[in-house]
Amino acid sequence: MDAKPLATKVVVDSSVVLHIVKHASEAAPYQACGQLLGLDNQDILEVTHGFNLPVSNSFYDSNDSATLRTKAINKYIGDMVEQLKEVKVDANTVGFYQCTHLGKFINHVVIDNLYAYQKENPEAVVLVYDLSKTVYASFSFKAYRLSPAFIAVKKSGKFSTKNLVEKELSYHDILEEVPVEIHNSHLVTLLLQNLSTQQPESSFTLNSTFNSLDITIDPYLEKTMESIFDSIDDFHYDQGNYNYYQRQLAREQSKISQWQQKRKAENHVRQQKGEAPLPLDNYGKLFKLPEEPSRLENLLISAQLDKYCTQIEEFGATVSSKLFATQKSLEA
Amino acid sequence: MSRFFAGGASSDSESESSSDEEILNSSSGSESESESGSDKSGSDEESDDSMFNNESESESESDEEGGAAKGPAYFLKNQFLRGGADSDEESDDEGKRVVKSAKDKLIDDIDASIKIIDNAKRINDWISISSEFDKMNKLVEKANKQYSEIPSQYIKTLAGLEDFLEEAVKAEKSAKKMNASNARALNTIKQRLKKNNRDYESKITAYRADPEAYEKAALANAPISAIPTAKRGASVETNDDLVDDQGFAVVGKAGKAVEEVDVFKTLATIIESRGKKNVDRYDQIKTLEGLITTTTSAYEIISILLALIPLRFDSISSSQFLSVESWRATSQDVTTLLATLEKNSAYSVIESAEEIDDLYLGPKSNAQGVKEIRGSIASLVERLDDELNRSLQNIDPHTTEYADRLRDQVDLYAILIRTQVYVEKYIKGNLYESEALSRLLSRRVDHIYYKSAKLIGLTEVKVWESIPAELDSKLTPRVTGTIVEGYSVSLLNSICSVLYKQTNTIYRTKAMLSHIYQYALNDQYFKARDMFLMSHLQSSIHSAESTIQVLYNRALAQVGLCAFRVGLIPETQTILQDLCSSSKQRELLGQGTGKFQQQSNIVEKQRLLPFHTHINSELLECVYLTASLLLEVPCIATAGSSSTDSKKKVISKSFRRLLENVERNVFNGPPENTRDHIMQAAMALLEGDWKAARELLTSIKIWKFINNPETIKAMLGEKVQEVALIAFFNSDVKYYSTISIATLASTFELTERRVKAIVSKVIANEDISAAIDEKTQSVVVRQGVELTKLQELALALSDKAFQLTERNERLMSGGYQLSDKPTGSSNPNNTNSGNNNANNANSNNSGNNAGNKQNQNRKPHQGRSNNHTHNNNHNNNRA
């Protein structure tokens, strides 16, 4: 796990992509996920096969991060890989795929799961397929990997501010995006070529769709904004916790400083009497400082918020060009 | 003197005053020789009658007295008796004075008890037997200890009692006609006698064997004691006879000089016994009442009254209240006191006077020749007021008794004014410097502030009529005949002007609140409101006494009602909001205790206001709901038409809840109570049927409890029309492109001017987007100006972002300073946590609030990203 991942690019076989898309649309509104198999070939991670994981309905309702790695699922994965090995498929686990809606995937479950995968195989990635985004905007298929900084902090187990600062981890650097390339087998390329030459006159070809000209922008923005609302509420909640901790801490600190003042005065008297001064720093036994709440939640929510905002920004970029185009055509 | 008289009196009326005697006897444990001597001599003298005769007489007498224990007849008799006994004593004392030993005196007492027991036996009065028996035992014990002898007559009585008891028990078994307390007394004496007789068993058997021999033997031992026993009763009878003949005459002439001394002697004893236990206050009251009729000197009357009035108040325990009779007697006493003081300007009762050393001499005259007596009429009057209040609290307000009791208020009010006049007379300098005066004035305000102007005027005139013509007050001049308008307010003004200058805040607060209440009652809303606001009471009221808080709430409620009467609906709603939406409304107004605390304590109950001062809580609710209705209907109409929640602001939660309840009903029957009327009116109004709504609202019966119900109803009708128009505009106008004002005016039966005004207001509030076209006299509605959902969301988001920034700033300020961290290097973990937040401040420069929604969306993100980058930089630098 300490080894740095070598792969700088993920090459996904088109059959895997299609499998994921199919699984996602079948499982909707549940968010499907599954296992990815493939090879790590130097600096390229090849994903050649994937299979579904049975997902319980409570998967997204519960906050139990271990859901994906329950015994039953682990056994299922083991059996599946064994059987796939027999039909000569690459039996090397290279990560998992996760379907999502509007970029809502940065949460405990995914992060913990990814961490588990990366612990076994540093090259492991998560392939995120965004169903809603594909519908509203454009095809969204991305690969992510946990950053070394995050792994380091996670390993230490403490998401305290000190730790975050030392490891230079901010919400920007939880995930690293890995470029994805979709690879078609030669046979598929051939078939596609064939198809396009067979029907040259048809107005409907595989390459020409008018989806990208769609300018219904409101639903997408509305949904994203509603998600932002949720995240902000979560953020407020977390902030409230931290506020509480701060107040507790300040109270304890003032108690300690009072105690120290008293001790100092005492020491002063003792010094005049010629006795040895009492130690100043053994307040730890007397006072218990409150524990700092984990900053992980805050990090994740921040990252999620960031994700939403970027999403809107990206969407805005594409949509405004469309709008300008529409305006021109209307004027004409 | 009192002891002496009392002794005489009690021997006369054995059956009911035995307890009196006991007390008096115990209080005068070591009676003087002379007293008993005179007692004795009296009985010696008049012992001609045969015992037999005497006994039968006393029996009939005690019977008759048992019937009329407290009536005036009894009182008179005592009166006479006192006079008689008095004269008796005087004449006797002068003649012969027999010196007797303490032992003889003791034996006399025992004889007296035996006599009483004998008498009581005849009428089967076991209660007095029981008490007398106890007393006798005590005396005998004393005799036994001191002189080691047991009087023979005691043994005789014991034996007799035993026999009698057996008979009585038998009789009781055969026919149960004894009342409960008597039967109880019988049982106790049965047990006690058994126990007691065990000690004297030998002697009793000796007596039983040969009563005469025993008695003779005993007689030889105590030659004197036995004889008077037989004669004792006779003296009582003759006393009575004496009274009939010469009772008054003696007091009139010969008694004068001696009498006065005795008045003060009695007074002194009574004053001393104040606050002590086991003192019969009724008896003392009677004594004093008797004294008053016998004296003529002003000083005496004043002194007696000053002792008598508190005594009357003392005669009840703190949880009870004075009965109507004793209250009236007390109020009569106070009036007498005032009248005496008014007539005799040589005396004055002043709180600051010096304590009189010698009651006999009376106070010395001061520089002006006025003799000052220490005392406080104001306090007495206050107490009188309290008692009336308490009795009003305890009487069921729906009885005629309550109404009768209320009449006493006028008397009390007259006393208040008279006292005020009296107190004013002795105030040097400014009126407001006297605490007593302000106390009285405060009471007076309490009496008038809740009354209507007319009632106040009538009361004032009536009261001043009852006050002697030569009296007048500087502060509140005498009024006669007709009352000018606004008198009540000016009266309150002049009273409160004194109270406002008091240093004690309670007076000021009370005066202020009462003043506000009165203003509100007279429909002077703006004055009341301004006073309320200027008083700044709302900031301090929560720490005030509960009575003041109640007054505050009352004033608030009254101001709310006033606003309604004046037609200021939104003001009414805001003022009454807190009061009416509270579930503890009754408690807040001091009109009842909590529903769920049935066993609420007495103190709490005493705080309640008497019924006639209550604010009609149903009317209050009705007014509040009506005001809410008029405000809520346009709101609900708006909310119903727009698709989002953003415009749904709730004005009155309780109204909404009620309305929801009604809407949920499958079937709504015809309205029964006030609430039903209002709710159905709301439903009708929401449907646009303003005529039905008006009908429903004006048919509410409770309006008759408000002043000028017709004007209120007319006002309501108008408001309903206006509200209907606004509601129509808010909900339905988007379906029109233009509406002519004339149509609107005819639909809602309003004048075109009014319609225009209302429409303009709605447009100005930006509730709807429209314009008035002056040329065609119509409203032109602009279409499609509603915000899209996305726009609304963007607005909401900008709110959220703003909130986030604020929260971040607060988080930052919560962090502790790095410079004075007490933990030092030993705990870097904590120091850093503070550090993190300290940096948030700089970062939250919540940038450009440009209308662009993307910018808005970015804002939280930017704020946050800045946070973290700053944070990191800073920490790196530190490292």
Side-chain angles (χ1 to χ4, degrees), chain A residues 58-74:
Chain A
S58 61
F59 175 54
Y60 270 88
D61 301 335
S62 71
N63 289 325
D64 186 7
S65 58
T67 323
L68 269 184
R69 299 192 306 276
T70 52
K71 261 187 190 164
I73 290 181
N74 276 338

Side-chain angles (χ1 to χ4, degrees), chain A residues 158 160-162 164-165 168-172 217-218 221-223 225-226 228-229 232-233 235-237 239-240 242-243 245-247 249-250 253-254 256-257 260 281 283 289-290 292 295 298-299 302 305-306 309-310 312-313 315-317, chain B residues 788-790 792-794 796-798 800-801 803-804 807-816 821-824 826-834 836-837 840 853-854 857-862 864-869 871-872 875-876:
Chain A
K158 261 198 293 182
S160 63
T161 317
K162 177 199 166 204
L164 295 187
V165 170
E168 290 180 36
L169 176 67
S170 86
Y171 67 92
H172 282 303
I217 50 172
D218 280 12
L221 284 176
E222 277 165 20
K223 292 245 164 62
M225 261 192 255
E226 273 160 14
I228 290 180
F229 285 176
I232 289 182
D233 287 343
F235 190 81
H236 275 316
Y237 179 77
Q239 219 174 17
Y242 200 77
N243 250 332
Y245 157 73
Q246 271 189 324
R247 280 199 302 275
L249 188 67
Q253 299 275 2
S254 71
I256 290 173
S257 69
Q260 280 180 331
D281 46 0
Y283 53 82
L289 288 168
E292 192 189 9
R295 309 296 291 145
N298 181 280
L299 274 182
S302 304
L305 266 177
D306 184 42
C309 294
T310 340
I312 290 178
E313 218 169 12
F315 182 72
Chain B
T788 63
K789 193 185 175 195
L790 183 62
E792 271 166 18
L793 279 175
L797 186 59
S798 77
K800 288 238 179 206
Q803 218 182 335
L804 198 67
R807 291 284 287 258
N808 255 343
E809 267 165 31
R810 207 164 56 183
L811 198 67
M812 178 274 301
S813 65
Y816 63 89
K821 55 187 180 203
T823 48
S826 62
N827 204 344
N829 181 4
N830 290 325
T831 55
N832 271 325
S833 71
N836 172 25
N837 301 301
N840 288 352
K853 58 188 175 255
Q854 280 182 22
N857 292 337
R858 289 290 295 174
K859 208 165 67 181
H861 162 57
Q862 282 169 345
R864 290 205 41 75
S865 65
N866 282 347
N867 280 356
H868 283 266
T869 45
N871 202 356
N872 284 340
N875 284 310
N876 290 345

Side-chain angles (χ1 to χ4, degrees), chain A residues 1 6 16 31 86 175 193 207 264:
Chain A
M1 166 123 206
L6 294 168
V16 177
Q31 306 191 334
E86 283 181 16
L175 293 171
Q193 291 297 332
N207 292 327
K264 265 179 198 161

